[in-house]
Structure formats: structure tokens, C-alpha cells
């Protein structure tokens, strides 16, 4: 009882593939040893014992059968590994197994000669069992057609051996078809079982690859979100810290207000990082438009927003919200802009976001060629079949255009017009209005 509970726990602790692997290998080994036990029992039946056959011949035949089983145990295990591609095929053990098979068959035929084939009908079953341990391994090492050819040749050889013992043609033909049927059945059974095990192994490997890819994709998503969330926040913190230093050097009390704002933005950034880690944060288009306008104005950049896109699907709003955030981050970080225009136009087929600013520098051109922020933004737009174009244009302007088709998006989200959307955490009205005057004092 205790042993059974231990075996049940071990079985239940195995994975699905491990269970199938154990079952398949156990089937192969069981098939080989059942045939060995069958040979041993048939070698000591009453007709054999009373046939006058030497005891040494009977014992030698039994020992040869046991040796065949002992050789088949490692051979089956190695053959399975070779079939699964885990090790190169080895031919010394198969050659030894073939020699033991023929020796065992010769012993059985000798016993049949003493008893007389007609008075030893179990000889056909014993000869059919002789080839099973060898075929169980051979089918895993050679192509299927070669295995069936081996079955035919072995059947013919054993039928010829029975004919040499003086058996009639009906018995010889019965031996040929009996050995051929048993060997063919063993070939089909073993091959199908091994094929199933190989498919399960590939499936497990595919699941492992899928798991690793999911982890890698999640890492990329996390890095992209961290860049998108913290990029603008850090740019604003750097700007306001620089402004606070200059105001403090001039003895302006407004430096305290700027540092308080920096402290507040840092706390907001901490919360946003927590939201990104949980995977819950989504960008809201209208909030991002108001936030970008407030932040750019606070940095002394004239920012004008035209249109709000109207009611849009949630996925489109999120993708364009990230586009607004990335565009505002690039405007703050690169070049020396004085003016920025954000246009949002929606039609029946698509919605287009255009962010255009002046003050283009060589650094800005480099960013347009392959910045990680734009790469992450392209991934977000690809999710909604959108496209992104970014780069310098005529008259020293830099233009970012994000276009998202509406046909492939889900139904529009029930968002009300909301005449005064709530500002982004990064834009406080009082700071946005007072910052230009502070910058003028610089």
C-alpha cells in the first residue's frame, strides 16, 4: 500500500511530456521482455521436455533468450534517444542483438527438430517472439521501408529454417506469415509510438520557445513603456531644475515653486512606474494633448492644438496618446524650438496626428533615424495597423505624422465631448501660465 502511494505521487509529479515519455519507453521495454518470457516458457513446454532434446540445449536456448533481453534493454533506450535526435546511432549493440536473435532462433529450431515441428506447434509463436526485441530497436534506427524489408527477410529465413527441420509446407507457410504478421505489427506499433513521442517533444520545445519569446517580448514592452512614461517626465524635471537653479542664483523666490513642482512630478513618475509594472496604464488622447500643450508652454514653446479627433476607438486613442507623448518629449529634448503645432484630423477612413515644430538641429535628424522612442511608437501603431513618419521637412521644421485607419479598429469608445478635459499630471495651469514669464527673466 505504501509502495503504491509512492508510485502514485511520483506519477502525479511528472509533467505531461514526462508521462508520455515514460509510458512509451515502458511499452518498448515491456514488448521486448514479454517476447523473451514467451520464448523461455515455450522452450520448456511438455513437448520439448519429452522430446529427448539434451538438457544443455534447452538451458542454452533459455540463456540465449535471457541474454537477448539483457541486450535489448540498453539498445531500446539508446535507439529511442537516437530517434529523437539526442545522440548518434550506434551499431555495435544492434549487431550483438542480431547475433543473439539468430542464435536464439537456431536453438528453437534445434528443439523443433528434436520434437518434430508437427508435434511442437508453439514453435511458430516462439519464432515470432524471437524477432520482436531486435525489431523494436531496428525500427528506431533505420527507415520504415528498411524495417519492413528486414521483417520479410527474417520471415523467409525462419520459414526456411523450419523447412530444414522436416516440417510440411503448410507449417512453413504458417511460420512465414505468422512471423511476418507479428514483426510487421511490432514495426507499426513501435514506429507510431516513437513518432507520437517525437511530436510531443517538439511540442514541448515549441512551448519552451514560446515562453522565452513571451518573456523577451514582455521585457521589450516594459522597456518601451518605461521610456515612454519617464522620457517626458525626466525632460520636464531637468528643465525645471535648471530653471530653479538660475532663479535661485538670482535670489528669486519662484525657485521654490519650481522645486516643489519638480518634487510633485517625481512623485507622479513613481506612480506611473508602478502602473507600468502592473501593466494597467493606458494613454488617454485628450489628456495627453492638454498635458503636451501645458508642458511645452511651460518650457517657453508656443504650442497650438487643432482638433481632438472626436469619439475614437479606445485602441486608437491609446496609440495616438502615446504618439503625442513621444512627440512632446522629442520637442523638449532636441533642437531649440519656439513654436509647435499639433493637428488631429479624423475622417471616415482614418485619423491623422501631425506634430510640427521648428528649431530643427542635427541631433533631431539623428533621432528621426532610429531612436528607441520612435521604434516603440511604431510598435504601438503597428498593433492598430497604423504607420508613422518622422523627419525634417522644408523651412527648418520637424514633422511627426501618425496615421491610424478606423476600419480595422474596434467600435468607438463612449467618450463624451468633455469641454474641459482634465490636465495631465505634468501640467498644472498655474505653472503653465507663469513659466513663460519666468523664462523671460532668464
Amino acid at each position: 500500500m505504501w509502495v503504491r502511494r509512492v508510485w502514485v505521487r511520483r506519477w502525479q509529479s511528472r509533467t505531461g511530456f514526462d508521462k508520455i515519455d515514460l509510458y512509451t519507453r515502458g511499452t518498448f521495454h515491456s514488448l521486448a521482455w514479454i517476447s523473451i518470457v514467451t520464448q523461455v516458457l515455450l522452450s520448456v513446454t511438455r513437448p520439448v521436455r519429452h522430446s529427448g532434446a539434451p538438457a544443455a540445449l534447452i538451458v542454452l536456448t533459455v540463456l540465449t533468450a535471457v541474454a537477448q533481453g539483457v541486450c535489448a534493454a540498453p539498445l531500446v533506450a539508446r535507439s529511442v534517444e537516437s530517434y529523437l535526435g539526442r545522440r548518434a546511432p550506434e551499431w555495435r549493440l544492434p549487431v550483438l542483438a542480431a547475433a543473439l536473435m539468430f542464435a536464439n532462433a537456431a536453438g528453437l529450431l534445434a528443439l523443433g527438430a528434436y520434437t518434430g515441428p508437427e508435434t511442437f506447434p508453439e514453435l511458430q509463436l516462439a519464432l515470432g517472439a524471437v524477432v520482436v526485441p531486435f525489431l523494436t530497436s531496428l525500427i528506431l534506427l533505420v527507415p520504415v521501408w528498411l524495417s519492413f524489408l528486414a521483417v520479410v527477410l527474417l520471415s523467409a529465413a525462419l520459414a526456411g529454417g523450419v523447412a530444414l527441420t522436416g516440417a510440411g509446407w503448410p507449417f512453413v507457410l504458417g511460420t512465414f506469415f505468422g512471423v511476418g504478421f507479428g514483426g510487421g505489427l511490432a514495426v507499426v506499433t513501435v514506429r507510431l509510438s516513437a513518432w507520437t513521442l517525437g511530436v510531443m517533444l517538439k511540442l514541448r520545445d515549441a512551448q519552451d520557445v514560446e515562453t522565452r519569446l513571451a518573456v523577451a517580448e514582455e521585457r521589450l514592452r516594459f522597456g518601451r513603456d518605461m521610456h515612454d512614461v519617464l522620457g517626458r517626465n525626466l525632460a520636464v524635471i531637468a528643465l525645471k531644475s535648471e530653471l530653479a537653479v538660475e532663479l535661485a542664483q538670482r535670489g528669486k523666490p519662484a525657485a521654490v515653486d519650481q522645486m516643489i513642482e519638480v518634487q510633485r512630478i517625481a512623485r507622479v513618475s513613481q506612480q506611473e512606474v508602478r502602473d507600468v509594472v502592473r501593466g494597467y496604464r493606458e494613454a488617454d488622447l485628450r489628456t495627453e494633448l492638454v498635458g503636451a500643450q501645458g508642458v511645452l508652454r511651460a518650457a517657453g514653446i508656443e504650442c497650438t492644438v487643432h482638433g481632438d479627433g472626436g469619439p475614437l476607438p479606445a485602441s486608437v486613442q491609446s496609440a495616438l496618446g502615446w504618439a503625442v507623448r513621444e512627440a512632446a518629449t522629442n520637442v523638449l529634448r532636441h533642437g531649440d524650438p519656439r513654436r509647435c503645432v499639433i493637428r488631429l484630423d479624423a475622417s471616415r477612413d482614418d485619423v491623422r496626428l501631425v506634430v510640427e515644430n521648428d528649431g530643427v538641429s542635427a541631433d533631431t535628424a539623428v533621432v528621426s533615424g532610429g531612436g528607441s522612442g520612435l521604434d516603440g511608437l511604431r510598435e504601438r501603431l503597428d498593433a492598430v495597423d497604423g504607420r508613422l513618419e518622422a523627419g525634417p521637412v522644408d523651412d527648418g521644421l520637424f514633422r511627426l505624422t501618425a496615421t491610424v485607419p478606423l476600419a480595422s479598429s474596434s467600435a468607438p469608445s463612449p467618450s463624451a465631448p468633455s469641454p474641459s478635459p482634465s490636465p495631465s499630471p505634468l501640467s498644472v495651469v498655474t505653472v503653465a501660465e507663469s513659466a513663460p514669464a519666468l523664462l523671460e527673466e532668464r
Side-chain angles (χ1 to χ4, degrees):
M1 195 68 179
W2 175 79
V3 175
R4 190 178 74 174
R5 286 199 298 268
V6 172
W7 280 102
V8 169
R9 289 197 203 98
R10 289 182 179 179
W11 176 260
Q12 292 176 346
S13 63
R14 294 177 178 268
T15 62
F17 173 79
D18 291 336
K19 290 179 179 178
I20 294 179
D21 182 72
L22 179 61
Y23 172 78
T24 304
R25 294 173 187 267
T27 301
F28 294 163
H29 286 284
S30 299
L31 187 63
W33 277 105
I34 288 174
S35 66
I36 298 299
V37 172
T38 301
Q39 297 173 51
V40 171
L41 294 178
L42 294 178
S43 300
V44 295
T45 55
R46 182 182 295 273
V48 174
R49 293 198 308 269
H50 295 276
S51 64
L57 178 61
I58 298 176
V59 173
L60 185 60
T61 303
V62 171
L63 292 179
T64 305
V66 174
Q68 189 181 5
V70 173
C71 178
L75 179 57
V76 168
R78 296 180 184 182
S79 299
V80 172
E81 295 296 317
S82 299
Y83 178 82
L84 297 178
R86 294 176 174 176
R87 64 181 300 166
E90 298 179 3
W91 296 105
R92 285 181 296 180
L93 272 179
V95 171
L96 177 60
L100 290 173
M101 176 190 65
F102 284 114
N104 195 12
L108 289 172
L109 290 173
L111 293 177
Y114 275 99
T115 60
E118 305 298 337
T119 59
F120 186 28
E122 294 88 354
L123 180 61
Q124 293 177 338
L125 180 59
L127 291 176
V130 165
V131 301
V132 172
F134 175 71
L135 289 177
T136 301
S137 303
L138 182 67
I139 184 59
L140 300 175
L141 298 174
V142 299
V144 177
W145 69 268
L146 192 56
S147 299
F148 281 109
L149 179 61
V151 170
V152 173
L153 294 177
L154 287 174
S155 300
L158 294 178
V162 170
L164 293 177
T165 63
W169 285 108
F171 194 88
V172 172
L173 291 177
T175 301
F176 176 81
F177 288 110
V179 174
F181 177 78
L185 184 62
V187 167
V188 172
T189 302
V190 172
R191 190 72 179 194
L192 287 178
S193 299
W195 177 80
T196 302
L197 182 62
V199 170
M200 293 300 298
L201 178 61
K202 292 180 180 179
L203 178 60
R204 188 188 67 169
D205 293 342
Q207 289 176 342
D208 292 341
V209 172
E210 183 180 4
T211 301
R212 290 194 295 269
L213 289 177
V215 172
E217 183 179 359
E218 182 61 20
R219 288 176 178 172
L220 291 175
R221 184 200 67 81
F222 183 79
R224 180 189 64 196
D225 290 352
M226 290 295 292
H227 175 275
D228 293 344
V229 168
L230 294 181
R232 187 182 68 177
N233 297 20
L234 295 177
V236 175
I237 289 175
L239 176 66
K240 289 186 174 292
S241 299
E242 180 184 357
L243 179 59
V245 169
E246 294 193 13
L247 292 175
Q249 289 176 349
R250 299 181 184 183
K252 301 292 185 179
V256 177
D257 295 334
Q258 294 299 315
M259 291 309 299
I260 291 175
E261 181 68 7
V262 168
Q263 183 183 34
R264 187 189 66 80
I265 295 174
R267 289 175 178 173
V268 170
S269 299
Q270 289 179 339
Q271 182 59 45
E272 289 183 340
V273 169
R274 296 190 191 100
D275 293 338
V276 168
V277 171
R278 295 188 185 98
Y280 294 149
R281 190 179 190 280
E282 289 293 341
D284 180 73
L285 177 57
R286 295 185 179 182
T287 301
E288 294 299 329
L289 287 172
V290 175
Q293 186 177 31
V295 168
L296 294 178
R297 285 180 177 177
I301 302 172
E302 180 185 352
C303 181
T304 306
V305 177
H306 300 284
D308 59 1
L312 298 173
S315 59
V316 175
Q317 285 206 35
S318 178
L320 293 179
W322 286 112
V324 172
R325 169 164 290 203
E326 177 62 27
T329 301
N330 288 338
V331 171
L332 286 171
R333 284 182 174 177
H334 308 287
D336 186 21
R338 289 290 178 266
R339 181 176 58 85
C340 178
V341 178
I342 302 176
R343 293 192 302 272
L344 192 63
D345 300 320
S347 64
R348 176 179 299 180
D349 298 328
D350 56 28
V351 57
R352 176 175 298 182
L353 171 71
V354 179
V355 181
E356 199 174 71
N357 64 276
D358 58 3
V360 178
S361 64
D363 191 21
T364 309
V366 172
V367 172
S368 66
S372 61
L374 293 181
D375 290 340
L377 183 55
R378 285 190 177 92
E379 294 177 8
R380 293 184 185 276
L381 291 173
D382 287 342
V384 291
D385 298 330
R387 63 181 185 274
L388 176 69
E389 299 176 1
V393 293
D394 297 336
D395 300 329
L397 299 178
F398 184 89
R399 180 181 300 158
L400 182 147
T401 304
T403 306
V404 179
L406 296 178
S408 61
S409 304
S410 56
S413 60
S415 57
S418 178
S420 58
S422 59
S424 170
L426 299 181
S427 61
V428 176
V429 177
T430 56
V431 177
E433 292 176 351
S434 61
L438 296 174
L439 288 170
E440 289 178 359
E441 296 182 7
R442 298 171 57 187

